[in-house]
Each structure stands twice: as C-alpha cells, then as structure tokens.
Amino acid sequence: MGKEGKIVLVSNRGSYTLKETGGQTEVVPAISGLVSAVEPVLKERGGVWVAWGGREAADPGGPGLRMRVPPEEPSYFFAEVPLTAEEIRLYYHGFTNGALWPLCHYFLEKCRYDPLEWAAYRQVNNKFALAALAEAGEGDTVWVNDYHLALVPSILRRHRPYLKQVFFWHIPFPHYDLFATLPWARALLRGLLGSDIIAFHLVDYSHNFLQAVNKLLDAPVDYNSLTVRWNGRKIMVPAWPMGIDFEAFQKLAREPGIRQRAEDLRRQIGVEKIALAIERLDYTKGILERLVAFERFLEEAPEWRGRLALLQIAVPSRTAIPAYRQLRSQVEEAVGRINGRFSEGSYRPIHYFWRGIPRRELVSYYLAADLMLVTPLRDGLNLVAKEYVASRVDGTGVLILSRFAGAARELREALIVNPYDIEGMVAALRTALAMPLSQQKQRLFRLQEQVRRCDVRWWIAGFQRALLEREIKEDESVRRTIRLSGYNRIPSTSAVDA
Ligand code: GDG
C-alpha cells in the first residue's frame, strides 16, 4: 500500500475462523480467494486483519480475540469483531445476503428490504469501523473489502479525515435501474464515498457506480477518468480485475502426489472425458441450468453416454438462508433424475459432492478435468476459471465460460456461453468435446498468458501505485494541520453513522 505504515485490512470473514470446542477456542485457517490474494502482503508488510471470526458472541459489546498469526510464524495480527447471533441473523443472513447479494446479481425477486435488517447492517458496520480505528495509526492504510461493509469508509472518514482508505467491491455493481430499488441506496453510496479509492473488477461496474452516484446524489462524475467529486475530494473508481497466484497453482499442478491423485480420480470415474464444475452452492452460479444442459446433451448425443461424466462439487454456503436450502433440494433432485435416466452398469453421468475440498485436492480435480464448466448466471469475476487455466500445466483442456462472469472479459479464448441458452450450452459441449488438441493448446496458451500477466501481484500493485500517486499529489501542509487536531482520538462506541 502507501509508501509507509502498515495495512489494516477489514473484511467480513478473515484469514481465521474461531470455533468453540469443549470450552477451548480453536483457531482454524480459512480458505477463500481473498485470503490467498492478500495474506502474503500482510505477512510481508505486517499489519492487522480486522474480521468477524465466524462464531457467535454472547455479549454484543464484549471484546474480540486479538492474536498474532500465523501461529507457526507470527507476522501480522488477527483482530476479531465479535457478532451476536442476532447480529449475524439480521446483518449477515439478512441485509447482506438477503438484500445486497441478490440485488447486485440481478435477482430482484429474491431481495428482502427489511428496515430492521438495514438497522443491524448500520450497527455492525459501525462496529467494524470502530475496530479498524482502534488499529489504524498515522500513515497506515485501511483496506476495506466488499458489500458487507459499505458504510465503513464514511465512518472512518468522519473520525479521521486524512486516513488513507481503499475499498474493493468483489461482486457486480448493478445498473442504476436496479440499484435504485434499494430504499437505502443513497446512504449506501454515501457510505462508500468516504474512501479515497473504490475499486471494482470491471469498468462496467465502475460506470454503474458512477451513474448511481450521479443520479442519486447529484455528484459530478467523469466516466473517462473514472472519478467522482464528493465533499471536496476527488475519488477514484478504477477497475482492477482480481488475479490469482499463478505460479503457486502451477507449482501445485507439477507436484507428483497431486498428479497421481488426478490419475486415480480419472481411473475411479472411468470415462473417456471428465467435465468439472466447482462453486459454492449459490443460485447465482447457474448449477441447475448447467444440469439441464448436461441432461439435454446426453439426450441429443447418445454416443457420449458411458463416455462423458460431470464432476459437480457444490460447496455448502449460507445454509441458514431458505433460498439456499431450496436450491440444494432442486440440485439434488436434478442430479438424481439425470443419474436415474442415464446410469448404466458402472457408469454414472454425474458425480456430485456437497462439500468443500482441500486446496491440493482442488488442483488434482483441475488436472483430472478435460473440460471446465464455469457457467454462472451472474458473477463479479470468478477465480475458479483462472485457477483451472493456471493448473493445466500440460497445455490442454477446454474452459466453457459464461458471458455473465466478469472473468469472460479477460479470458477471451474460452468458449463463451449464455447459461440461459440451453441449446447454446449443448452446442458448446459438442465443440469442446470435438476440439483437437492443437486448438486446445493454442487457446490455453493465450489464456495462461493473460492469467500469468494479470496475477495477484499485478492486482495488488494497482492499489500501491494509485495510493502512491495520491500521496504525491496531496498537500502535506494541510495533512499536518489536521494531524495536530486530534488524529488519534477513538470515538465512543455508541456512535451509529450513515
Ligand atoms: C466472490 C465473487 C469474485 C471454492 N471451493 C473450494 C475452494 N474454493 C475457492 C476457489 C476460489 C474461491 O474459493 C471462490 O472464488 P470465486 O471467484 O470463484 O467465487 P465467490 O466465492 O463467489 O467469490 C466472485 C470473488 O469474490 C473474488 O473477488 O471472483 O465473483 O462472487 O479461489 O478456489 N477452495 C478449496 N476447496 C473448495 O472446495 N480449497
């Protein structure tokens, strides 16, 4: 981040999950794209990760755990923001995943706009902001992540006007027409505008955000330079698609143990071609539509029965929300129906797993798969598509990718599909299965070039450059005046903003 100071990273979930077992607190490393992307920076630079630990706190005002991590080689701090069962229900399952998530993914019919949940969202955002303020000192950079914490930047700004702030929004930012349906759309935008930089995966999302602040808050925006003026500040709204650790995936994919595991998997499944799909079990990921397309393909291409299998890994997610439980039943019913129709002897068309798998195992699945199906109905970016590309060290494999995944803008050599168009998906499966090795290699080479060039280091460097440019432009004398007027005061815990 900036040229000095530490990073205070703020996100709903962090690098560790805390579990209560028999009166003891167990500290378990968490797996997520964000952890793999930013933990190396924290380890190198030092800093603090402020996040909810994933457990229920009894006392709403009680202190959270603060510890040096990783336990084996401590290099940064993990500071827990404790949340009660009620806060988790209203803020996390409620407003965050019952209103903002469906809204930003264009599922308006699934949105619940509940004033109580909105109040809890504000309350919890205030908690996170206070926890960040307690950690951030002069010269530090606060880096807030995602739609769970949209109000944090303006709370921080109010208390520390010259704190350096970056915000990354990991999901799509919807078109103004949709966003304006949110009764608290203005407050949410004002919350975000506390940041110096508000970054998205795609320019389209930056444009949607700029249009929303222009129409709803009357703020002057510039679509070319991707900036907005607000309260005397010029805020950057850039597009930086997140990268992955390309080299780490290549290294894993070359490990003999992982390659052996991939071969064992292929032998167990025992078919000519394996198609793989892996994602959280979420209605945005297009699992049902994919299953229907796969079923149609087996109907129309009987020559592939017994020769093609789909390996579907659905990672349990947000199981407290009814829409997710309902989707699970629908997916499992479809898997049962298709397997019932097309199984023959030892052949099973769909191998379905409702569980997460360790990362090394994940790479062996990428290696075992001739085709990768990433066909979300809407997705901010999609890291799985990039991970598949990076793991194919022998240069073969076909990626079928939804045009509604942000990653489709970068991964142009994939077979791009419309997941709502079942016949189009069937045609893409045919094309993929018939693609000669030479063409697979040509396409994959270009895909790998892209994923290697715009990797996670490139992504992080974008923030560093932008903050550095900002610092150079800033008037140091103004900074100093403000510092003298109570920079390090920590506000009272009763203040609820936005
Ligand atoms: C959100 C946005 C955006 C998945 N299953 C397992 C597992 N994973 C890992 C993958 C990947 C990450 O989780 C999933 O990232 P995605 O990008 O595919 O999707 P979301 O979870 O919806 O993420 C998305 C992302 O944020 C980043 O900004 O791209 O659009 O929705 O890294 O490898 N990892 C392991 N076992 C699993 O079973 N170990």
Side-chain angles (χ1 to χ4, degrees), residues 452-469:
R452 181 188 281 121
R453 194 173 54 243
C454 298
D455 71 349
V456 67
R457 275 167 277 275
W458 168 88
W459 186 65
I460 303 257
F463 289 96
Q464 285 170 324
R465 263 197 312 277
L467 277 167
L468 216 59
E469 277 168 27

Side-chain angles (χ1 to χ4, degrees), residues 31-33 36 101 105 146 168 170-171 201 242 249 278-280 285 313 315 355-359 362 366 379-384 387:
I31 309 165
S32 78
S36 342
W101 176 268
H105 289 87
D146 233 354
F168 197 89
H170 289 261
I171 64 175
H201 287 302
M242 192 168 168
F249 277 93
I278 170 158
E279 58 252 312
R280 288 181 301 98
K285 301 288 184 183
I313 296 165
V315 182
R355 70 178 82 123
I357 51 177
R359 196 176 190 205
L362 188 70
Y366 290 146
D379 211 335
L381 184 78
N382 195 287
L383 296 175
V384 166
E387 292 167 4

Side-chain angles (χ1 to χ4, degrees), residues 285-334:
K285 301 288 184 183
I287 305 174
L288 272 179
E289 290 73 6
R290 181 188 310 138
L291 291 174
V292 170
F294 186 70
E295 182 175 26
R296 184 78 58 84
F297 177 80
L298 291 179
E299 276 167 14
E300 292 179 9
E303 70 279 15
W304 278 103
R305 295 180 202 161
R307 294 166 59 207
L308 168 70
L310 170 64
L311 191 53
Q312 171 69 62
I313 296 165
V315 182
S317 180
R318 304 175 193 169
T319 47
I321 301 176
Y324 287 75
R325 291 201 297 269
Q326 192 194 352
L327 176 70
R328 182 182 171 199
S329 325
Q330 290 169 328
V331 164
E332 293 181 356
E333 187 193 306

Side-chain angles (χ1 to χ4, degrees), residues 351-485:
H351 294 249
Y352 168 80
F353 300 91
W354 184 68
R355 70 178 82 123
I357 51 177
R359 196 176 190 205
R360 299 170 62 80
E361 180 94 353
L362 188 70
V363 175
S364 65
Y365 279 65
Y366 290 146
L367 280 171
D370 304 282
L371 323 179
M372 181 83 213
L373 307 182
V374 178
T375 56
L377 304 179
R378 188 74 55 174
D379 211 335
L381 184 78
N382 195 287
L383 296 175
V384 166
K386 293 189 173 187
E387 292 167 4
Y388 176 72
V389 166
S391 303
R392 303 296 302 179
V393 283
D394 73 346
T396 64
V398 183
L399 172 64
I400 297 184
L401 181 60
S402 163
R403 57 180 296 186
F404 302 117
R409 301 296 168 85
E410 290 174 84
L411 305 180
R412 292 173 181 268
E413 296 294 324
L415 292 181
I416 305 292
V417 293
N418 170 0
Y420 294 93
D421 171 13
I422 300 300
E423 286 310 321
M425 296 259 280
V426 169
L429 274 170
R430 278 187 191 281
T431 308
L433 287 166
M435 192 182 287
L437 276 184
S438 58
Q439 200 191 126
Q440 290 185 27
K441 286 188 169 174
Q442 260 175 21
R443 284 174 179 263
L444 206 81
F445 178 77
R446 295 210 194 100
L447 289 169
Q448 287 187 336
E449 286 283 295
Q450 173 64 26
V451 178
R452 181 188 281 121
R453 194 173 54 243
C454 298
D455 71 349
V456 67
R457 275 167 277 275
W458 168 88
W459 186 65
I460 303 257
F463 289 96
Q464 285 170 324
R465 263 197 312 277
L467 277 167
L468 216 59
E469 277 168 27
R470 242 196 136 66
E471 277 173 28
I472 292 163
K473 281 189 204 136
E474 268 171 12
D475 180 353
E476 264 300 318
S477 63
V478 176
R479 238 177 203 288
R480 243 175 269 128
T481 319
I482 302 287
R483 273 181 203 154
L484 290 174
S485 55

Side-chain angles (χ1 to χ4, degrees), residues 91-369:
Y91 143 82
Y92 183 64
H93 299 307
F95 193 73
T96 300
N97 287 323
L100 286 182
W101 176 268
L103 174 64
C104 292
H105 289 87
Y106 291 71
F107 286 85
L108 198 51
E109 77 287 357
K110 286 196 161 54
C111 292
R112 244 175 75 96
Y113 296 150
D114 178 335
L116 263 182
E117 293 177 355
W118 164 244
Y121 183 81
R122 292 171 60 201
Q123 183 75 40
V124 170
N125 268 247
N126 205 60
K127 256 188 170 179
F128 273 84
L130 295 180
L133 285 171
E135 298 290 348
E138 196 172 337
D140 292 345
T141 301
V142 179
W143 180 2
V144 186
N145 282 274
D146 233 354
Y147 60 106
H148 314 80
L149 301 173
L151 308 180
V152 168
S154 63
I155 305 171
L156 297 179
R157 181 70 51 198
R158 192 140 51 244
H159 296 299
R160 302 264 180 88
Y162 279 79
L163 187 65
K164 282 176 283 183
Q165 288 195 54
V166 186
F167 191 100
F168 197 89
W169 183 273
H170 289 261
I171 64 175
F173 196 91
H175 188 270
Y176 161 77
D177 285 343
L178 256 100
F179 188 70
T181 65
L182 181 68
W184 309 283
R186 285 190 180 84
L188 203 106
L189 295 175
R190 279 196 292 263
L192 286 167
L193 288 169
S195 192
D196 294 306
I197 297 173
I198 305 161
F200 297 93
H201 287 302
L202 302 186
V203 172
D204 285 4
Y205 308 156
S206 302
H207 282 172
N208 287 345
F209 176 80
L210 289 173
Q211 192 183 26
V213 292
N214 181 247
K215 290 200 173 206
L216 291 167
L217 300 178
D218 216 15
V221 299
D222 181 345
Y223 291 100
N224 293 317
S225 63
L226 300 177
T227 51
V228 46
R229 289 203 166 273
W230 184 248
N231 286 346
R233 293 180 301 117
K234 190 172 173 187
I235 296 154
M236 294 167 64
V237 186
W240 291 320
M242 192 168 168
I244 61 159
D245 192 341
F246 182 86
E247 294 305 332
F249 277 93
Q250 289 247 313
K251 208 166 150 222
L252 285 172
R254 290 201 170 92
E255 268 190 32
I258 292 180
R259 300 188 69 81
Q260 183 59 49
R261 176 76 187 112
E263 274 176 34
D264 293 347
L265 255 170
R266 287 194 70 94
R267 221 183 355 264
Q268 278 162 19
I269 295 176
V271 290
E272 219 175 289
K273 298 275 185 191
I274 295 175
L276 172 68
I278 170 158
E279 58 252 312
R280 288 181 301 98
L281 188 89
D282 195 297
Y283 51 80
T284 60
K285 301 288 184 183
I287 305 174
L288 272 179
E289 290 73 6
R290 181 188 310 138
L291 291 174
V292 170
F294 186 70
E295 182 175 26
R296 184 78 58 84
F297 177 80
L298 291 179
E299 276 167 14
E300 292 179 9
E303 70 279 15
W304 278 103
R305 295 180 202 161
R307 294 166 59 207
L308 168 70
L310 170 64
L311 191 53
Q312 171 69 62
I313 296 165
V315 182
S317 180
R318 304 175 193 169
T319 47
I321 301 176
Y324 287 75
R325 291 201 297 269
Q326 192 194 352
L327 176 70
R328 182 182 171 199
S329 325
Q330 290 169 328
V331 164
E332 293 181 356
E333 187 193 306
V335 169
R337 181 185 71 236
I338 300 164
N339 278 344
R341 283 185 72 187
F342 299 108
S343 290
E344 189 90 54
S346 63
Y347 170 66
R348 202 164 14 121
I350 303 177
H351 294 249
Y352 168 80
F353 300 91
W354 184 68
R355 70 178 82 123
I357 51 177
R359 196 176 190 205
R360 299 170 62 80
E361 180 94 353
L362 188 70
V363 175
S364 65
Y365 279 65
Y366 290 146
L367 280 171

